[in-house]
Amino acid sequence: MRIAVDGMGGDNAPAEIVKGCVQAAALIKDDIYLVGKSGLLEKELKKYKFNREQIHIVHAPDVIENEDAPVRAVRTKKESSMVVGLNMVKSGEADLFISAGNTGALMAGSLFILGRIQGIDRPAIAATYPILGKGVSLLVDSGANAECKPNNLLEFATMGSIYMEKVLGIKNPKVGLVNIGAEESKGTTVLKAAYELLSKSNLNFRGNLEARNVPKGNADVIVCDGFTGNVILKLTEGLAWNILKLIKGKFTAGFIPKMGAALLAGKLKELKNEFDYSEYGGAPILGVKGAVVKMHGSSMANGVKNTILKGIPFAENNVVQIIQNSVLELEEIVISE
Amino acid sequence: MRIAVDGMGGDNAPAEIVKGCVQAAALIKDDIYLVGKSGLLEKELKKYKFNREQIHIVHAPDVIENEDAPVRAVRTKKESSMVVGLNMVKSGEADLFISAGNTGALMAGSLFILGRIQGIDRPAIAATYPILGKGVSLLVDSGANAECKPNNLLEFATMGSIYMEKVLGIKNPKVGLVNIGAEESKGTTVLKAAYELLSKSNLNFRGNLEARNVPKGNADVIVCDGFTGNVILKLTEGLAWNILKLIKGKFTAGFIPKMGAALLAGKLKELKNEFDYSEYGGAPILGVKGAVVKMHGSSMANGVKNTILKGIPFAENNVVQIIQNSVLELEEIVISE
């Protein structure tokens, strides 16, 4: 397997990206192609010992910045690490492309360069959502499509279920539709229609999912439009960060609490790890003709390493092909409405 | 001031409702009218010492249940504690009505019995949202209106700002519009139009508010449609509950952690209190011609007490009248579009 990694994307590129690639390479047999400014990447690589036959540099002189307008950037920066990496997947030179760069550009580039899977109306970004003490669920869409039609939500549910089964190994994953009440009659017109479509599908649809049950892991695949998905993901991040900060503040105020915190050091570390998104790899872009994974913009080496490790089954298990095959069935459901 | 309280609404009625009323009465000079089945209420009241001239029972033989269809319940159960309580506000026999009962019915009843403030298109439920270590923000709408137009969001912002200033004493409250990015151009068509309206208003509008910044208290008034508001409120509740459970589990696993947790007992209690919604009173219904407050369905005596205490300035400071006066100005902004 050949894994292309955007060496220039994200807040900590190229240093942490390169470090993560070296860490991953030590654990796998696959080839890694670091795409970006060769001088910078070479300089970082020199800091480590690694197998020169396993990590390769692919020179790309340009960089798409976070501030760049996505579509324009993809159209004009043909020599950027992101566009070069996506073209490697397109041409078959790579089986997987991973980037921590501009999310909009990665989505736009995946659409323009790889193209949509025929029959998928709206590709989505599927984020792994940490279920405390229990692993992860998959949140689709996590931000690519602010407004959705009922058939888009059915597509998200289908693609998410395939990913959970084939990549994260969850058999017959439970699907939940985020809504403001458990009853079928709840929510907007779009959600009511989506509920009907999901009920007719052969997915393991468990009905509406109230937001309070999202963190409990009641659904393996959390289905919602990209606006709601973004709110869920970002609110969880913000709240977890705030709570940990509050705990830290409280537990270091005074001598006795400090002693208590010292005795709990191991447990506090465990607690922090529960919120660590980087353990679960990145967010796959589902619905395009190729395996592309978005990493968090602030990814450190450990996150890069895990994204590479989790990315391998995504490419290896033909998720893209399986989605392609299941699309016809979706059309039957939508048309029969 | 005369405060009517629904003695029959909520999971813990009438026992905890009555207990909360007795606790509140000891701290205020105002009269409390407990509305509900007089036999049951009298039996509960007998458990406590209180001033018989301060707490009164208003008999209402019927009860609106949580399972009742809201509109139908309000139309048919004329003798229910909720309808009787709302009618007391309508007739001027009470200055404020508080209920932990069926939210939809309380909203519908407020609309039918008290009526909308002229010029307010959509009344909203404004929930207090706990900002860890810093008090509360106000989330409007928290669930009454799943789908909204731009002018509704402007109304929510205006009513929320007045409530924050007059009831919670926040001068010139900061208003944030929940969106998936900070830039003006982000989000749905409705949100872009709402952004424009808010910019033209004389509110202290601080622009778009990303969900990650909601728990940090970046806005005193968090403006969103009721679907998003419900997701924010319920997800926060679910996540906080899950985190506390996780902490409890981790800190009681093993002898050394247990000792540590014992030393931190005071701090852990403080942490739990930070998440305790009941400290901040209930959720006012804004935009109807009367002061009505919804309490959490699972409210215990302490929550009832605090809702009564926070409800007094809501009624006393003429919030309803001030909203009424500010509506004309809103119409100018919307029409000038």
Side-chain angles (χ1 to χ4, degrees):
Chain A
M1 173 135 319
R2 293 147 305 165
I3 303 156
V5 179
D6 182 350
M8 312 307 290
D11 309 337
N12 310 306
E16 291 292 325
I17 307 289
V18 171
K19 190 175 172 187
C21 286
V22 172
Q23 289 176 357
L27 303 168
I28 56 178
K29 290 198 196 113
D30 312 84
D31 280 6
I32 294 176
Y33 293 83
L34 263 164
V35 189
K37 296 184 179 177
S38 57
L40 288 174
L41 296 174
E42 189 57 56
K43 198 177 141 200
E44 289 299 325
L45 273 175
K46 278 203 178 122
K47 296 179 181 167
Y48 310 100
K49 278 193 183 156
F50 63 95
N51 178 357
R52 280 269 162 196
E53 285 175 18
Q54 194 186 12
I55 302 186
H56 317 272
I57 290 176
V58 176
H59 181 59
D62 211 350
V63 177
I64 292 180
E65 309 288 351
N66 269 335
E67 300 68 34
D68 285 344
V71 174
R72 189 192 179 83
V74 171
R75 294 282 193 213
T76 57
K77 293 188 168 179
K78 301 277 184 205
E79 297 296 304
S80 62
S81 54
M82 196 183 275
V83 171
V84 170
L86 287 167
N87 274 315
M88 288 176 71
V89 175
K90 165 100 176 163
S91 67
E93 291 162 88
D95 304 294
L96 171 69
F97 178 57
I98 292 171
S99 174
N102 185 320
T103 309
L106 189 63
M107 187 74 195
S110 300
L111 276 167
F112 296 154
I113 296 166
L114 303 174
R116 282 184 296 136
I117 291 176
Q118 208 195 339
I120 291 290
D121 182 30
R122 295 284 196 96
I125 301 180
T128 44
Y129 186 91
I131 304 303
L132 302 183
K134 278 200 223 168
V136 291
S137 294
L138 195 72
L139 181 73
V140 208
D141 176 27
S142 73
N145 310 283
E147 287 170 283
C148 289
K149 289 174 291 184
N151 63 302
N152 302 142
L153 297 167
L154 175 64
E155 289 167 14
F156 300 165
T158 304
M159 299 191 294
S161 294
I162 292 169
Y163 185 89
M164 279 308 267
E165 186 147 344
K166 299 299 169 188
V167 180
L168 298 180
I170 308 292
K171 288 244 173 296
N172 202 22
K174 299 189 291 273
V175 173
L177 180 65
V178 179
N179 207 335
I180 54 176
E183 307 84 355
E184 186 173 343
S185 62
K186 286 280 178 178
T188 61
T189 325
V190 167
L191 286 171
K192 285 176 206 168
Y195 190 105
E196 267 203 55
L197 292 179
L198 286 162
S199 300
K200 286 184 190 164
S201 74
N202 59 5
L203 299 169
N204 184 7
F205 178 52
R206 299 300 186 94
N208 287 328
L209 175 67
E210 289 190 87
R212 85 172 84 221
N213 293 326
V214 165
K216 293 181 190 161
N218 289 24
D220 300 306
V221 182
I222 305 161
V223 176
C224 55
D225 62 56
F227 188 92
T228 305
N230 180 284
V231 166
I232 290 175
L233 202 63
K234 297 293 173 64
L235 180 62
T236 302
E237 217 177 286
L239 202 58
W241 186 88
N242 253 40
I243 291 172
L244 288 175
K245 200 181 130 198
L246 184 76
I247 290 178
K248 207 178 155 191
K250 287 208 182 295
F251 288 7
T252 52
F255 177 70
I256 289 175
K258 264 186 197 159
M259 270 184 55
L263 294 172
L264 284 168
K267 297 291 177 185
L268 286 168
K269 181 110 203 302
E270 277 176 41
L271 189 67
K272 201 162 164 242
N273 284 345
E274 290 278 352
F275 294 110
D276 190 357
Y277 281 63
S278 67
E279 292 295 318
Y280 306 104
I285 295 183
L286 299 175
V288 294
K289 286 187 271 182
V292 179
V293 179
K294 170 70 174 79
M295 288 188 283
H296 203 294
S298 59
S299 290
M300 300 296 283
N302 187 53
V304 176
K305 180 193 78 182
N306 287 318
T307 304
I308 293 172
L309 299 180
K310 300 280 184 194
I312 294 173
F314 178 27
E316 214 163 52
N317 295 342
N318 295 316
V319 171
V320 172
Q321 191 55 50
I322 297 169
I323 291 174
Q324 173 79 77
N325 296 344
S326 66
V327 164
L328 279 177
E329 204 175 309
L330 292 191
E331 287 181 342
E332 299 278 354
I333 296 170
V334 175
I335 286 164
S336 78
E337 268 300 288
Chain B
M1 172 135 321
R2 292 147 306 164
I3 302 157
V5 178
D6 181 350
M8 312 307 290
D11 309 336
N12 309 306
E16 291 291 324
I17 307 288
V18 171
K19 189 174 172 189
C21 286
V22 172
Q23 289 176 359
L27 302 168
I28 55 178
K29 290 197 197 114
D30 312 84
D31 280 7
I32 295 176
Y33 294 83
L34 264 165
V35 189
K37 297 184 179 177
S38 57
L40 288 174
L41 295 174
E42 188 58 55
K43 197 177 142 202
E44 288 299 325
L45 273 175
K46 278 203 178 120
K47 296 179 182 167
Y48 309 100
K49 278 193 183 153
F50 63 95
N51 178 357
R52 281 268 162 198
E53 285 175 19
Q54 193 186 13
I55 302 186
H56 318 271
I57 290 176
V58 176
H59 181 59
D62 211 350
V63 177
I64 293 180
E65 308 288 350
N66 269 335
E67 300 68 35
D68 285 344
V71 173
R72 189 192 177 82
V74 170
R75 295 282 193 211
T76 57
K77 294 188 168 179
K78 301 278 184 204
E79 297 296 305
S80 61
S81 54
M82 196 183 276
V83 171
V84 169
L86 286 167
N87 273 316
M88 288 176 71
V89 175
K90 165 100 176 163
S91 67
E93 289 163 88
D95 304 294
L96 171 69
F97 179 58
I98 292 170
S99 174
N102 186 320
T103 309
L106 189 62
M107 187 75 195
S110 300
L111 276 168
F112 296 154
I113 296 166
L114 303 174
R116 282 184 296 134
I117 290 177
Q118 206 196 340
I120 292 289
D121 183 30
R122 295 283 197 95
I125 301 181
T128 44
Y129 186 90
I131 304 302
L132 302 183
K134 279 200 223 168
V136 290
S137 295
L138 196 73
L139 181 73
V140 207
D141 175 28
S142 73
N145 309 283
E147 287 169 284
C148 289
K149 288 174 291 181
N151 63 302
N152 302 143
L153 296 167
L154 175 63
E155 289 167 13
F156 300 166
T158 304
M159 298 191 295
S161 293
I162 292 169
Y163 185 87
M164 278 307 266
E165 187 148 342
K166 299 299 170 190
V167 180
L168 298 179
I170 308 291
K171 287 247 172 296
N172 202 24
K174 299 189 292 270
V175 173
L177 180 66
V178 178
N179 206 335
I180 55 176
E183 306 84 355
E184 186 173 345
S185 61
K186 286 280 178 180
T188 61
T189 325
V190 167
L191 286 171
K192 284 176 206 168
Y195 189 104
E196 266 203 57
L197 293 179
L198 286 162
S199 300
K200 285 184 190 164
S201 74
N202 59 4
L203 299 169
N204 183 8
F205 178 52
R206 299 299 186 94
N208 287 328
L209 175 68
E210 288 190 87
R212 86 174 82 221
N213 293 326
V214 165
K216 294 181 191 160
N218 289 22
D220 300 307
V221 182
I222 305 162
V223 177
C224 54
D225 62 57
F227 188 92
T228 306
N230 180 285
V231 167
I232 290 176
L233 202 63
K234 297 292 172 64
L235 180 61
T236 302
E237 216 176 287
L239 202 58
W241 185 88
N242 254 38
I243 291 173
L244 288 175
K245 199 180 132 199
L246 185 76
I247 289 178
K248 206 177 158 190
K250 286 209 182 294
F251 289 6
T252 51
F255 177 70
I256 289 177
K258 265 187 196 157
M259 271 185 51
L263 293 173
L264 283 168
K267 297 292 176 185
L268 286 168
K269 181 108 203 298
E270 276 176 39
L271 189 67
K272 201 161 165 243
N273 284 345
E274 290 278 352
F275 294 108
D276 189 356
Y277 282 61
S278 67
E279 291 295 319
Y280 305 105
I285 296 182
L286 299 177
V288 296
K289 286 187 270 182
V292 179
V293 179
K294 170 72 174 79
M295 287 188 286
H296 204 294
S298 60
S299 290
M300 301 295 283
N302 187 52
V304 177
K305 180 193 79 182
N306 286 318
T307 303
I308 293 172
L309 299 181
K310 301 279 185 196
I312 294 173
F314 178 27
E316 214 163 51
N317 295 340
N318 294 315
V319 171
V320 172
Q321 191 55 50
I322 297 170
I323 290 174
Q324 172 80 79
N325 295 344
S326 66
V327 164
L328 279 177
E329 204 176 310
L330 293 190
E331 287 181 340
E332 299 278 354
I333 296 169
V334 175
I335 287 166
S336 79
E337 268 301 286

